[in-house]
Amino acid sequence: RVQYKLDGKIKNYIIDFYDANNNILYEIKPNSKKDDEVNKLKFDAATQYCITNSIKFVIIDDDWFFNNFNGYDEILKYIDIDKDLLIKRMKGVFRK
């Protein structure tokens, strides 16, 4: 948990996950939400926390998925869904 201030109150920001092997905090956030004022406050607090504690902070966004996507067959190894349905649901994610 990383503390940040919102409207004069201390809040807790729970980052999505921590990779202990590589000492990286990851936040998953769509591009459409990255510039929200509250998210900016959270990211600033997480960045400062990571600097203080020698941890890397990575935001996984639409661009990250676009650049790291290995194909639908790779996803289908991990989830039970019809490939055509998966493609239909994912189309909007990978538009640039």
Side-chain angles (χ1 to χ4, degrees), residues 53-96:
N53 294 285
S54 300
I55 300 170
K56 185 174 180 181
F57 179 55
V58 175
I59 299 173
I60 297 175
D61 58 13
D62 302 12
D63 297 327
W64 185 96
F65 278 106
F66 183 80
N67 293 323
N68 292 282
F69 182 61
N70 291 325
Y72 294 104
D73 291 330
E74 184 68 22
I75 293 173
L76 291 169
K77 291 179 186 177
Y78 304 102
I79 62 173
D80 183 24
I81 188 171
D82 176 72
K83 185 174 182 175
D84 291 333
L85 180 58
L86 174 64
I87 291 169
K88 181 179 177 183
R89 290 183 179 173
M90 298 290 287
K91 275 188 178 179
V93 174
F94 296 104
R95 280 191 217 139
K96 269 204 144 189

Side-chain angles (χ1 to χ4, degrees), residues 3 9 21 25 27-28 30 44 47-48 55 64 70-71 73 85-86 89-90:
Q3 291 187 335
K9 296 178 184 176
N21 292 331
L25 288 176
E27 176 65 20
I28 301 171
D44 288 345
T47 299
Q48 188 57 49
I55 300 170
W64 185 96
N70 291 325
D73 291 330
L85 180 58
L86 174 64
R89 290 183 179 173
M90 298 290 287

Side-chain angles (χ1 to χ4, degrees), residues 6-57:
L6 177 64
D7 298 328
K9 296 178 184 176
I10 300 294
K11 302 283 189 173
N12 286 310
Y13 168 34
I14 301 172
I15 296 172
D16 290 325
F17 61 97
Y18 174 62
D19 174 358
N21 292 331
N22 296 302
N23 202 32
I24 303 172
L25 288 176
Y26 288 97
E27 176 65 20
I28 301 171
K29 195 67 63 187
N31 287 346
S32 62
K33 299 291 184 185
K34 282 175 37 180
D35 290 330
D36 288 356
E37 194 59 37
V38 173
N39 286 329
K40 286 182 180 181
L41 292 171
K42 291 177 180 181
F43 299 160
D44 288 345
T47 299
Q48 188 57 49
Y49 175 86
C50 288
I51 290 168
T52 301
N53 294 285
S54 300
I55 300 170
K56 185 174 180 181
F57 179 55

